[in-house]
Amino acid sequence: MAQTRAGGGEGESRGGCGEPGGPGRGPRGGASEPTPAEQVEELLKRAQNGFEIAERVLERLGTALMHQAELRSYRQRNDESRPLRCNTYRHIFLLADGSSLLLYELEHDTGPQECFLYELYADEDALDAAERRVHDRIGGGGIGPGSEAEELPAWLAEELLLAMGPTRPRREYVSEASPDHARRLLRRAENTDGPGEVVRDLLRGALGHHIALITKPRRRGAGRDTTWCRFYEHAFLLEGGGEVSLWELEHNMTTDGRLVCEVYLDEAEAEVAADRHARAQGVEL
């Protein structure tokens, strides 16, 4: 992946003027979905502070297999001359080793000539400071997090997720190191009721694998970003054309808030486990 670094002062706008593009932005003029590498490049190109993203973060992003973006927070004030807006998007990258990496994109039109400005952060504390700075510029009377509540309204968060709906992307098997991918996935699983030795032996002969983020309507509990809960399907192509899917549940519904991975042979089992963890933490999914 090319690692072109973008940067500049606040007076420069790399995002262009007009309406914000939202989390589904892709390459200009292209109809197809951008690859994770292309998505990273687009984020860096339009960010005014892209040069601040550490090289070690870019190196990890170079192994990204999948990308998903979602609205994290928003704020708007209807000024006499024009609306002032600030949106924050969370970009989730699934890496080759099965871990996830987050980038936060801050989009706001507090610059001159109604141009949207973009900032990119890998650290949530740095993002919080940037959001406070932009919110101070926007001033009072806004709507959204930072005005009356620090969380998206529950009804809006649910509407956004429901609008996405459950998806099953078309499988495109990758033939490189599929047995090793299965081994690493099962090795990091922390649940004791996962796939047994029979499945492990079967996957040692896997010819290909495909990873899909399964979108499900989930609602976070109280407080900003309290609950992280994601489902992934790891499909494996076997000799003879057979297929086996492992269902990964990634969540932070633990006593210490630590992000953990659990793997199940059945999608319903992963769902039940997520609900069980949520009840134990008093969280409504």
Side-chain angles (χ1 to χ4, degrees), residues 24-35 38-39 42 45:
R25 289 181 294 255
R28 292 181 179 85
S32 60
E33 287 293 321
T35 67
E38 291 170 340
Q39 185 66 52
E42 283 292 310
K45 183 165 60 177

Side-chain angles (χ1 to χ4, degrees), residues 7-116:
E10 283 194 347
E12 301 177 56
S13 175
R14 287 179 166 75
C17 299
E19 291 299 318
R25 289 181 294 255
R28 292 181 179 85
S32 60
E33 287 293 321
T35 67
E38 291 170 340
Q39 185 66 52
V40 171
E41 201 64 27
E42 283 292 310
L43 290 172
L44 290 170
K45 183 165 60 177
R46 63 175 171 255
Q48 294 202 328
N49 65 332
F51 59 91
E52 295 179 352
I53 303 299
E55 290 294 339
R56 65 179 183 277
V57 174
L58 292 180
E59 290 174 1
R60 294 187 65 202
L61 286 171
T63 69
L65 302 175
M66 291 188 62
H67 163 263
Q68 177 178 314
E70 59 188 21
L71 181 66
R72 179 183 187 268
S73 64
Y74 74 100
R75 182 178 174 84
Q76 177 174 327
R77 178 169 69 90
N78 293 322
D79 191 80
E80 293 182 359
S81 58
R82 62 183 174 93
L84 295 174
R85 290 157 291 186
C86 175
N87 303 313
T88 302
Y89 298 100
R90 184 191 355 252
H91 294 266
I92 310 162
F93 292 89
L94 177 65
L95 307 183
D97 62 2
S99 63
S100 299
L101 192 151
L102 304 183
L103 289 180
Y104 302 96
E105 184 179 30
L106 186 63
E107 173 188 69
H108 57 94
D109 62 349
T110 61
Q113 302 176 351
E114 303 186 27
C115 290
F116 277 95

Side-chain angles (χ1 to χ4, degrees), residues 96 173-188 199-210 234-239 246:
Y173 285 105
V174 177
S175 60
E176 296 180 0
S178 296
D180 187 55
H181 175 74
R183 179 184 59 81
R184 287 186 281 108
L185 173 65
L186 292 170
R187 183 179 61 188
R188 69 175 179 268
V199 174
R200 293 174 185 268
D201 291 340
L202 190 64
L203 293 178
R204 289 191 180 100
L207 302 179
H209 66 281
H210 173 81
H234 299 257
F236 295 89
L237 180 64
L238 306 178
E239 293 182 357
L246 298 182

Side-chain angles (χ1 to χ4, degrees), residues 112-126:
Q113 302 176 351
E114 303 186 27
C115 290
F116 277 95
L117 305 176
Y118 299 90
E119 302 174 27
L120 194 63
Y121 298 95
D123 179 75
E124 194 167 11
D125 290 337

